[in-house]
Amino acid sequence: MRLVSKTFIRKRAEEYPKAAKYLEQWIHTAEEAEWRSLVDVRRHYPTTDSVRVNSGRNVLVFNVCGNDYRFICAAHFNTQVIFALCFMTHAEYSKNSWKNEL
């Protein structure tokens, strides 16, 4: 996959040191992957969910560090491009206000 927003991910890793190792590994895994569907993503990240946001689009939600954080991406499987959109704590995610922003 071609990863867009790698700088964004690395900045989140600096802000959330507990998640840094996960995010660096995620970058490596995503760039090496040829994901064609959510099923393919779940082979690497079994707890990943597809969530419909208010724009009507679906995003991928990755659980990070158990249940502490959520990492949200838009994956365009047909063009092999993945965009990092949001990184937040579980508490922020649970408020669901992020769905209005995407």
Side-chain angles (χ1 to χ4, degrees):
M1 301 284 290
R2 186 170 67 84
L3 177 58
V4 178
S5 312
K6 197 182 310 186
T7 301
F8 167 83
I9 298 169
R10 291 209 164 111
K11 285 183 180 178
R12 298 299 83 76
E14 289 175 12
E15 289 176 38
Y16 301 95
K18 181 178 176 182
K21 184 176 179 181
Y22 175 96
L23 291 171
E24 283 298 326
Q25 181 61 46
W26 187 91
I27 288 171
H28 176 74
T29 300
E31 288 182 327
E32 296 294 317
E34 292 184 18
W35 295 327
R36 299 283 178 199
S37 68
L38 177 60
V39 172
D40 291 341
V41 175
R42 284 183 172 163
R43 286 189 185 112
H44 292 99
Y45 298 99
T47 61
T48 303
D49 288 316
S50 179
V51 176
R52 185 170 300 274
V53 294
N54 289 349
S55 69
R57 296 183 177 144
N58 286 337
V59 296
L60 298 178
V61 178
F62 294 86
N63 298 326
V64 179
C65 296
N67 221 13
D68 293 345
Y69 305 104
R70 294 292 187 272
F71 180 38
I72 301 169
C73 298
H76 298 267
F77 298 119
N78 59 332
T79 58
Q80 288 291 286
V81 177
I82 191 163
F83 297 86
L85 301 174
C86 299
F87 187 86
M88 63 191 77
T89 65
H90 178 68
E92 292 167 329
Y93 174 82
S94 294
K95 293 177 185 175
N96 282 328
S97 61
W98 62 272
K99 289 181 180 179
N100 297 323
E101 298 169 16
L102 303 176

